[in-house]
Amino acid sequence: MTDLFAAAAEETRRARAPLAARLRPKSIDDVVGQEHLVGPGRPLRCLVESDRLSSALLWGPPGTGKTTLALAVAGSTERAFEQLSAVTAGVKDVRETIERARQRLGERGQGTILFLDEIHRFSKAQQDALLPAVEDGTLTLIGATTENPFFEVNAPLRSRSTLFRLEPLDRPAIEQLVARGLEAEATTADADALELLVDRAGGDGRQVLTSLDVACALSDYTHVVLAHVEAALGTSALRYGRDDHYDVVSAFIKSMRGSDPDAAVYWLARMLEAGEDARFIARRMVIFASEDVGLADSRGLDVAVAAAHALEHVGLPEAQLNLAQAAIYLAAAPKSNRAALAIWNARAAVRDGATGEVPPHLRDGHYQGAATLGHGVGYEYPHDSPTGWVDQEYLPEAQRGKRWYEPSQHGEEQEIEQRMATRTTEQSPHGAST
């Protein structure tokens, strides 16, 4: 009687499970997408089909099939399969799993696969608890993570695992998932509703199935129309993990550097919609203003700093206007990295030994006895000159003639170059070359 009730409860649970869970494949042949891993002759398929899969790390964005792949592996192997989530499991659970794996191996020679979802949430000590069992072959670990395993997984555990990178699902794979979902729900849909659903998937299979699940429920499982999909998508979250953080801000910076205001605003919008720290965005623009705009448009730094200050005073969402203005200004501004190159190259030269004594006439002469040492003697005060400039040496003797700042021909640096060239031709007869 107990078994009968348990079976009925399990059947009810499966019937009420989310669509994404109900559509999980039972073997590797049913996996949608990730052809570079599970296509004919591809590495993961070959290892699974020969039952030679060693410990592995599945790394990819949410909804790309990490859990799906692990369960597909479970359905394609003779080994026992156990599943834990790093969100709820602890070292005690890991040790109990390892003990069961040892018993299977000793009693009937059956290996065990442990699927550990969100392995990056395990602490160093928890990950270390897995090492002995992975190393001696007691169990095969399949860890799934949305975070870069080179940052989040201990090096010893990572070195004992094969890394498989999952990519966002392409459009044909998303379309195939949607078709399977409609079939499972015995529901039809308008073409424009399906097109919007696929367009908004963002490579996330679970998200598109979740949205389809909601849209089917809104249609009362009759026929899905555009309004149902729009309502379902209104609850969808924009994917933005750790990798997206670095990739999107990189695209933002490169768009401004490439003088494309539209692309810059688009990537800014992506970051803001994903909840990126607006202060981080402002800091990146302040850095960009000196590194990539520089003296070609000296107002760029003023604009970036003003936007950062406005953010602190106003806050979001209103400060999006200040950030957008700064991003557009910096993207449209003339570009020069000569100021950045000047300090990078000067510091490199100093590190490489470009040193020298401070020339006597530049040394501090504001104390008693300094003149007897020659400090400050011969220094010419530029403001006493009608031109505001005098020809004298400012570098150590060993570095005379060196130039670290070379103005470009962009924007305001053309004028700087002209001023520098004019001063070179106006050297006094007794002065040294600059």
Side-chain angles (χ1 to χ4, degrees):
M1 185 64 69
T2 302
D3 290 343
L4 184 61
F5 282 130
E10 178 63 16
E11 185 64 28
T12 301
R13 184 189 66 79
R14 288 179 180 174
R16 294 181 178 178
L19 181 59
R22 283 182 276 140
L23 288 182
R24 291 204 189 280
K26 294 181 172 58
S27 74
I28 201 166
D29 292 323
D30 298 327
V31 174
V32 174
Q34 310 305 335
E35 289 295 317
H36 64 294
L37 297 180
V38 299
R42 292 302 182 178
L44 186 55
R45 172 177 284 275
C46 292
L47 290 171
V48 170
E49 288 179 340
S50 62
D51 204 11
R52 302 284 296 174
L53 181 66
S54 59
S55 292
L57 294 173
L58 305 178
W59 171 32
T64 52
K66 298 181 291 297
T67 303
T68 294
L69 270 180
L71 295 175
V73 169
S76 307
T77 179
E78 297 298 323
R79 285 180 272 187
F81 186 84
E82 298 219 22
Q83 182 172 354
L84 293 175
S85 172
V87 176
T88 57
V91 172
K92 180 177 179 290
D93 302 293
V94 170
R95 287 173 178 165
E96 290 175 352
T97 302
I98 293 173
E99 184 57 34
R100 289 193 295 271
R102 285 202 178 99
Q103 290 178 358
R104 292 190 197 98
L105 198 60
E107 292 173 2
R108 53 183 184 270
Q110 183 186 25
T112 299
I113 292 176
L114 169 61
F115 173 58
L116 182 57
D117 198 12
E118 301 206 56
I119 189 174
H120 60 275
R121 293 183 180 270
F122 258 13
S123 66
K124 183 178 186 299
Q126 289 172 310
Q127 292 183 28
D128 285 343
L130 292 163
L131 273 175
V134 170
E135 193 165 22
D136 64 18
T138 299
L139 57 76
T140 298
L141 172 69
I142 299 180
T145 177
T146 57
E147 306 296 333
N148 191 325
F150 290 96
F151 298 146
E152 305 296 341
V153 179
N154 290 356
L157 191 59
R158 193 176 66 242
S159 67
R160 290 164 175 78
S161 307
T162 304
L163 178 62
F164 295 104
R165 176 69 187 268
L166 282 72
E167 301 295 339
L169 299 182
D170 58 17
R171 190 178 185 88
I174 293 292
E175 290 172 343
Q176 188 177 349
L177 278 181
V178 171
R180 287 188 183 182
L182 286 173
E183 183 180 356
E185 300 288 27
T187 307
T188 57
D190 286 345
D192 57 352
L194 295 181
E195 184 175 1
L196 177 61
L197 198 61
V198 173
D199 286 343
R200 291 285 300 275
D204 188 329
R206 183 171 57 245
Q207 177 177 303
V208 76
L209 289 176
T210 300
S211 299
L212 178 61
D213 203 356
V214 174
C216 288
L218 292 173
S219 75
D220 200 21
Y221 301 96
T222 55
H223 183 78
V224 176
V225 298
L226 184 61
H228 297 141
V229 172
E230 288 176 337
L233 289 172
T235 62
S236 298
L238 181 66
R239 176 173 66 82
Y240 196 80
R242 180 169 178 172
D243 287 339
D244 299 284
H245 162 82
Y246 292 112
D247 289 343
V248 173
V249 74
S250 175
F252 175 59
I253 295 298
K254 289 171 181 173
S255 298
M256 290 193 295
R257 184 180 297 141
S259 300
D260 189 332
D262 294 300
V265 169
Y266 169 75
W267 293 118
L268 173 62
R270 279 278 295 269
M271 289 188 286
L272 292 174
E273 284 296 314
E276 178 64 82
D277 184 354
R279 290 172 297 180
F280 166 78
I281 299 172
R283 287 196 300 270
R284 293 304 307 171
M285 287 197 287
V286 171
I287 295 168
F288 178 90
S290 289
E291 181 177 351
D292 290 284
V293 175
L295 292 168
D297 186 346
S298 56
R299 293 182 297 276
L301 182 58
D302 296 337
V303 170
V305 171
H309 285 169
L311 175 63
E312 297 298 330
H313 287 294
V314 177
L316 291 176
E318 291 83 357
Q320 66 180 308
L321 306 175
N322 311 114
L323 295 175
Q325 178 181 343
I328 292 169
Y329 186 96
L330 294 173
K335 304 296 188 297
S336 172
N337 68 343
R338 299 302 177 87
L341 288 175
I343 186 60
W344 293 337
N345 292 336
R347 293 193 67 175
V350 171
R351 286 194 300 269
D352 291 340
T355 58
E357 298 296 326
V358 176
H361 65 284
L362 297 182
R363 295 181 185 180
D364 181 18
H366 293 87
Y367 60 92
Q368 188 175 3
T372 62
L373 298 175
H375 293 188
V377 176
Y379 172 68
E380 296 184 51
Y381 192 52
H383 295 295
D384 289 340
S385 169
T387 62
W389 174 83
V390 294
D391 175 30
Q392 63 184 338
E393 186 59 62
Y394 294 98
L395 284 170
E397 185 174 358
Q399 307 304 323
R400 288 186 179 181
K402 299 287 182 63
R403 289 188 65 176
W404 285 281
Y405 173 59
E406 297 280 354
S408 72
Q409 294 301 307
H410 304 150
E412 297 170 7
E413 282 196 317
Q414 294 184 56
E415 299 177 13
I416 296 174
E417 173 65 30
Q418 292 171 2
R419 287 199 299 271
M420 293 175 65
T422 300
R423 289 171 181 172
T424 300
T425 60
E426 291 178 354
Q427 293 175 359
S428 60
H430 64 275
S433 172
T434 59

